[in-house]
Amino acid sequence: MKPLKADLLLLFVTVCWGSSYLFMKVGLDSVSEFNLIALRFGLAFLFASAIFYRRFMKIDRATVKFAALLGFILFIIFTLVTFGLKTTTTSNAGFLISLTVIFVPLISTVVYRNKPETKLRISILLAIIGIALLTIQLPFRIQFGDLLCIAAAFCYAIHILVAGSAAHKVDTLNLGILQLGFAGFFGFVFSLLLETPTFPDSTISWIAILALSILCSGVGFILQIVAQQYTTPVRTGLIFSLEPVFAAIVGVVFAHEVITGAGYIGASLMLFGVILSSIK
């Protein structure tokens, strides 16, 4: 697969994840936090493993080890995001979670000694400015939920780097499927311990959770793992920084939210940053 095709697949994944905030909000109206994580990733695992069952039967021990680690990181990420949204605004959360675009090159530089080239550093700076213009609403104050979202962004960066490393060592499709199963399992265990697991009680909630499971989780995280084999973790993080742009578009179309002039400028800067990083 050519790097451009891999970047386009990651862009599609970002569109899916941009829509997930709306689906999560609807889903949380009928089920609790860990219950939602269990349903989201558990159903995604069943859906994906049923479709690719022949290939999935060929998993090896190395794939299981990487999948368990990635699945646990996914569980931590979505636990932090879900509880973080309770005590901060959606706009602040969108900006802070998108700080993944900063954490990926920082961690990569420290761990792998990979210093981003000048063009990529400019692209990251444009993405940061764009995210701020698109999502921040003044006055900006640090709440406990903000700290949880920052932690989620850091975990996102770790997931991208670990996935990028694992993608070159094991079957990427099986890895992508199995990590969903582990994330759902961890969610189910915590739901049993701290909540009363239930199923959604309305049609709209079922639609939201199935969309989270099949589109945002099943398709999204599997394609991420597959595509990362042909691109770099830093570029992956940069493409994922477009998530607030697509989240804003979904909010405008389906929730009748309003984007300010600064928001449009921010979205344009982020898009330009991604394009700049792809130009040779």
Side-chain angles (χ1 to χ4, degrees):
M1 183 187 299
K2 294 182 178 180
L4 178 59
K5 187 176 181 180
D7 290 346
L8 291 175
L9 283 178
L10 290 172
L11 186 63
F12 175 73
V13 170
T14 308
V15 174
C16 294
W17 290 350
S19 65
S20 67
Y21 290 101
L22 180 62
F23 295 135
M24 285 179 64
K25 186 176 181 180
V26 174
L28 286 170
D29 289 338
S30 61
V31 296
S32 50
E33 291 82 6
F34 291 119
N35 196 168
L36 178 64
I37 294 173
L39 286 172
R40 171 178 182 170
F41 291 104
L43 291 174
F45 169 72
L46 293 175
F47 166 75
S49 59
I51 293 178
F52 301 102
Y53 73 95
R54 291 184 184 275
R55 188 164 172 179
F56 185 66
M57 295 301 293
K58 300 178 181 179
I59 57 174
D60 55 23
R61 184 175 296 181
T63 303
V64 174
K65 289 181 179 179
F66 276 117
L69 176 58
L70 289 172
F72 180 71
I73 297 173
L74 277 184
F75 168 72
I76 295 298
I77 290 168
F78 285 94
T79 298
L80 292 169
V81 171
T82 302
F83 284 95
L85 284 170
K86 283 190 166 185
T87 52
T88 189
T89 64
T90 302
S91 58
N92 281 5
F95 168 65
L96 294 170
I97 293 170
S98 296
L99 291 176
T100 300
V101 72
I102 304 173
F103 288 133
V104 169
L106 286 178
I107 297 174
S108 181
T109 300
V110 173
V111 176
Y112 301 111
R113 309 291 183 179
N114 295 332
K115 187 177 180 180
E117 59 182 343
T118 302
K119 178 182 65 175
L120 199 54
R121 280 182 282 177
I122 294 173
S123 299
I124 293 170
L125 178 61
L126 290 174
I128 295 170
I129 297 172
I131 292 168
L133 290 173
L134 179 65
T135 59
I136 287 183
Q137 295 179 0
L138 297 177
F140 182 82
R141 292 186 292 269
I142 294 294
Q143 306 284 348
F144 181 66
D146 297 326
L147 299 178
L148 293 180
C149 290
I150 293 172
F154 185 79
C155 291
Y156 255 133
I158 294 175
H159 184 275
I160 289 172
L161 291 168
V162 173
S165 176
H168 297 283
K169 300 176 182 178
V170 298
D171 184 290
T172 53
L173 180 61
N174 284 339
L175 178 63
I177 295 173
L178 197 55
Q179 70 164 344
L180 300 175
F182 277 108
F185 171 75
F186 293 128
F188 180 66
V189 169
F190 275 80
S191 183
L192 282 176
L193 292 174
L194 304 175
E195 303 167 347
T196 302
T198 59
F199 288 106
D201 56 8
S202 66
T203 302
I204 188 66
S205 294
W206 266 115
I207 292 173
I209 288 176
L210 288 175
L212 280 172
S213 300
I214 297 173
L215 186 64
C216 302
S217 300
V219 175
F221 285 105
I222 291 173
L223 286 183
Q224 176 204 347
I225 296 291
V226 173
Q228 273 199 248
Q229 188 177 2
Y230 305 97
T231 189
T232 65
V234 174
R235 283 184 62 170
T236 300
L238 187 59
I239 293 172
F240 285 170
S241 72
L242 288 173
E243 184 177 325
V245 176
F246 297 116
I249 292 173
V250 171
V252 170
V253 176
F254 295 101
H256 308 294
E257 296 178 355
V258 178
I259 300 179
T260 64
Y264 283 109
I265 296 173
S268 300
L269 286 175
M270 294 167 69
L271 182 59
F272 179 73
V274 172
I275 293 173
L276 176 63
S277 71
S278 302
I279 298 175
K280 294 185 179 180

